[in-house]
Amino acid sequence: MAITTVQVHLGPRAYPIHIGADLISRADLYAPHLQGASSIAMVTNTTVEPLYAQRVRAALAASGKRLIQIVLPDGEAYKNWETLNAIFEQLLRARADRATMLIALGGGVVGDMTGFAAACYMRGVPFIQIPTTLLAQVDASVGGKTGINHRLGKNMIGAFYQPSAVIADTRGLRTLPERERCAGLSEVIKTAAIADCVFFEWIEAQIEALRACDETAMIEAVRRACEIKARIVAADERERGMRALLNFGHTFGHAIEAGLGYGQWLHGEAVGCGMALAADLSVRLGHLDEAARARLARLLQAARLPVRAPALGADRYIDLMRSDKKANAGQIHCIVLKRLGEALMTPVSVADVKVCLEANGVSTSEQREYDPRIY
Ligand code: NAD
Ligand code: GLY
């Protein structure tokens, strides 16, 4: 099966994203990045290690470099200081040095933490991303946002630190639970909704193939999403402007994740529902027509993503949205759609957010149990 490569054009920090089936076993993809490495430290987790680590180890063996393996507990709850410190502890004990190449083998949690460890360890060592979830292949592994959660906020501690390469093996997505694949589709739909109407139409036509993890469709989806993200990151690496558009659905989505408690809904599920709400807000503010909103909602539902907002209480949403990283002096900023394929960031009033939430059934301050699969 052919390999396709998308370049992230960032001058001295430029890197390739290799996309295709069975790529993790290919020694030739690692080799160019390992030439100056003294050793390799592969960071993975307890779920991914038994599935894929042996194949990566076999491919890395061709380099003849010493391999250190660090296996983390699985889960967003472990994306914190304690786990980061455990990575540093194991690197130091194994005498990893400034020329050690870190490799992140796993989903966005492993990728974000390994990237942050690479940014900090001995003031910066190189790292390679091997994203094994759809969400990580189309979003988390690309663009150099790394970090951990803080008790007071998600992804609040981190660094921009670009990898040396991304190796996205789409065949590995077959072992991903369907719910996780659908959560990844949310970020694929997001990318199309903000930047490429033709891609959006393509996803509409391919949604069943994508849900079934059809290889050809999956490679195409990852390629097109990565091309868009690579273009945006190359234009605005540090999110001073257009990169913020990648946060479409995230202002409501982060409020849902935090409001329900992290882990209740997957990140992609919260973003899916957040996009439905942000599209509704876009219509109310006069930016988007109703037909486009309904089309987005239909596609989200076809991807088995929740579109009804959990009734956390409008005041709780507003509170949480005010602590979003895009908020400025308490002013909420939201990404809204002008049409399918074009977005903009705009300040929004509390009153407009309240009207939108209330129209979407969020009026009480009570929290109940919310299963995203019935939303
Ligand atoms: P995740 O890393 O928790 O992975 C989801 C689950 O799938 C985990 O249990 C994992 O062990 C398992 N898994 C991974 N690959 C598998 C495979 N091939 N087969 C079977 N199981 C597999 O979650 P995620 O959705 O990949 O990432 C979410 C994280 O990414 C969040 O912390 C979010 O903040 C972060 N994120 C970062 C960025 C960024 O730009 N850095 C962008 C989006 C999201
Ligand atoms: N996930 C949004 C970004 O990378 O900017």
Side-chain angles (χ1 to χ4, degrees), residues 139-140 142-143 145 187 190 229 233 239 243 246-247 250:
D139 196 358
V142 176
K145 280 189 181 175
E187 301 283 7
K190 172 202 78 179
K229 182 154 185 188
V233 167
E239 199 169 311
R243 185 164 178 172
L246 288 166
N247 288 314
H250 286 60

Side-chain angles (χ1 to χ4, degrees), residues 77-154:
Y78 296 100
K79 190 176 152 182
N80 58 22
W81 271 121
E82 287 70 30
T83 313
L84 186 69
N85 203 31
I87 298 175
F88 294 144
E89 180 96 20
Q90 291 183 64
L91 289 172
L92 287 165
R93 283 187 188 284
R95 301 198 187 289
D97 59 27
R98 280 189 170 153
T100 297
M101 170 66 78
L102 263 57
I103 294 189
L105 173 68
V109 169
V110 167
D112 279 13
M113 270 196 298
T114 308
F116 192 35
C120 302
Y121 188 73
M122 299 204 173
R123 300 198 179 89
V125 294
F127 81 114
I128 293 173
Q129 288 272 19
I130 310 180
T132 59
T133 64
L134 179 57
L135 185 137
Q137 293 189 356
V138 299
D139 196 358
S141 67
V142 176
K145 280 189 181 175
T146 71
I148 54 170
N149 300 328
H150 187 277
R151 189 174 52 83
L152 297 179
K154 187 167 160 61

Side-chain angles (χ1 to χ4, degrees), residues 59-306:
L60 294 173
S63 72
K65 313 272 180 189
R66 179 169 71 100
L67 180 68
I68 302 158
Q69 183 166 293
I70 299 174
V71 183
L72 307 177
D74 185 6
E76 183 78 33
Y78 296 100
K79 190 176 152 182
N80 58 22
W81 271 121
E82 287 70 30
T83 313
L84 186 69
N85 203 31
I87 298 175
F88 294 144
E89 180 96 20
Q90 291 183 64
L91 289 172
L92 287 165
R93 283 187 188 284
R95 301 198 187 289
D97 59 27
R98 280 189 170 153
T100 297
M101 170 66 78
L102 263 57
I103 294 189
L105 173 68
V109 169
V110 167
D112 279 13
M113 270 196 298
T114 308
F116 192 35
C120 302
Y121 188 73
M122 299 204 173
R123 300 198 179 89
V125 294
F127 81 114
I128 293 173
Q129 288 272 19
I130 310 180
T132 59
T133 64
L134 179 57
L135 185 137
Q137 293 189 356
V138 299
D139 196 358
S141 67
V142 176
K145 280 189 181 175
T146 71
I148 54 170
N149 300 328
H150 187 277
R151 189 174 52 83
L152 297 179
K154 187 167 160 61
N155 294 331
M156 285 296 176
I157 315 294
F160 284 98
Y161 196 68
Q162 303 293 342
S164 304
V166 180
I167 299 173
D169 186 337
T170 48
R171 189 156 294 170
L173 300 177
R174 289 182 182 170
T175 53
L176 203 58
E178 196 194 2
R179 189 177 162 198
E180 295 284 355
R181 263 205 311 273
C182 291
L185 283 175
S186 180
E187 301 283 7
V188 178
I189 293 168
K190 172 202 78 179
T191 313
I194 61 163
D196 188 342
C197 187
V198 176
F199 183 30
F200 190 92
E201 279 166 25
W202 180 88
I203 300 169
E204 287 178 315
Q206 298 292 326
I207 192 67
E208 289 311 317
L210 290 168
R211 279 193 47 230
C213 208
D214 173 83
E215 199 151 273
T216 310
M218 206 47 107
I219 290 173
E220 181 69 359
V222 174
R223 180 185 68 78
R224 289 170 86 156
C226 284
E227 273 175 1
I228 293 169
K229 182 154 185 188
R231 205 167 58 232
I232 293 174
V233 167
D236 179 23
E237 184 182 8
R238 295 268 170 154
E239 199 169 311
R240 310 271 188 239
M242 73 185 291
R243 185 164 178 172
L245 301 182
L246 288 166
N247 288 314
F248 176 51
H250 286 60
T251 311
F252 286 106
H254 281 161
I256 293 170
E257 280 185 280
L260 290 178
Y262 292 112
Q264 291 291 309
W265 284 23
L266 300 178
H267 175 72
E269 291 171 337
V271 168
C273 184
M275 285 192 279
L277 290 168
D280 182 272
L281 185 62
S282 309
V283 174
R284 286 172 199 285
L285 296 177
H287 295 291
L288 186 70
D289 65 58
E290 168 55 24
R293 185 210 61 78
R295 213 172 132 190
L296 174 61
R298 274 197 303 278
L299 182 56
L300 293 168
Q301 283 173 301
R304 301 291 188 271
L305 290 161

